[in-house]
Amino acid sequence: LTCTPIPGLSMGYTYSLLDTNKNNGQINNGYRDNIDITYVPIKTENFSVTVKFNHTHTWGKTLNSLDQKISQQSGNGIQESQISETNNTESLGSLNMKIVIPLPNSPFMDRLEIVGEAYLKQIMDGQDQYKANPADQSSFDISGLVLKGTLYF
């Protein structure tokens, strides 16, 4: 389901049923819902701003995709696929801004572009409370800011 209630704003929602099946024929039910929001309040030839937000919630008995993703990102290799009880959320937000400053009076320089990007990622694993070793826990928050200037000749 996607809607655009305000110019420049796009929102989407997806609900998924994640049925998994072991060799013994037992069917396990898992669920996932996903919200995507993108907002572009300003977009001109020389200036643009984009705000994005994504939130995914997975719960029920399903594949251990969060554990696999974190294991691979941390350099511990690929973890075996298993059906396990899950209850996790992943949220990712970003703000991107681009400013273009034309330099028409310069004989050698064409323009200056300034790009700013800010990110926030949060993963909350509801199963962390059952993990005895803190190193096995998957929840974390991370943020970043990048500012870049490029001079075009």
Side-chain angles (χ1 to χ4, degrees):
L1 176 65
T2 302
C3 66
T4 308
I6 300 171
L9 176 66
S10 174
M11 299 186 302
Y13 177 78
T14 306
Y15 178 83
S16 304
L17 178 60
L18 310 170
D19 285 342
T20 52
N21 187 334
K22 285 188 176 181
N23 291 339
N24 62 7
Q26 178 184 359
I27 295 177
N28 299 288
N29 294 324
Y31 311 91
R32 176 176 296 137
D33 63 355
N34 184 61
I35 299 170
D36 272 314
I37 300 172
T38 301
Y39 183 46
V40 182
I42 300 170
K43 185 169 187 173
T44 66
E45 183 180 341
N46 295 326
F47 185 69
S48 66
V49 175
T50 304
V51 180
K52 293 183 180 182
F53 178 74
N54 176 278
H55 180 81
T56 303
H57 181 204
T58 305
W59 70 98
K61 280 198 168 260
T62 186
L63 293 175
N64 59 333
S65 57
L66 177 63
D67 291 337
Q68 290 176 322
K69 185 187 305 182
I70 290 174
S71 177
Q72 190 172 11
Q73 288 176 350
S74 66
N76 294 333
I78 298 173
Q79 190 176 21
E80 176 185 11
S81 293
Q82 297 176 349
I83 296 173
S84 61
E85 189 66 37
T86 61
N87 182 17
N88 57 62
T89 59
E90 295 181 61
S91 300
L92 176 62
S94 68
L95 170 66
N96 298 337
M97 184 178 69
K98 181 178 178 181
I99 302 169
V100 178
I101 302 169
L103 303 170
N105 297 330
S106 173
F108 303 108
M109 296 177 284
D110 180 47
R111 68 189 184 280
L112 171 65
E113 285 188 8
I114 301 169
V115 177
E117 301 173 350
Y119 298 94
L120 175 63
K121 182 173 186 174
Q122 179 184 57
I123 293 185
M124 299 294 294
D125 186 352
Q127 299 302 314
D128 278 353
Q129 61 187 339
Y130 305 114
K131 297 176 182 174
N133 184 356
D136 293 336
Q137 295 183 356
S138 305
S139 298
F140 69 88
D141 294 354
I142 189 167
S143 60
L145 177 65
V146 177
L147 292 173
K148 178 178 81 168
T150 306
L151 186 58
Y152 290 89
F153 292 93

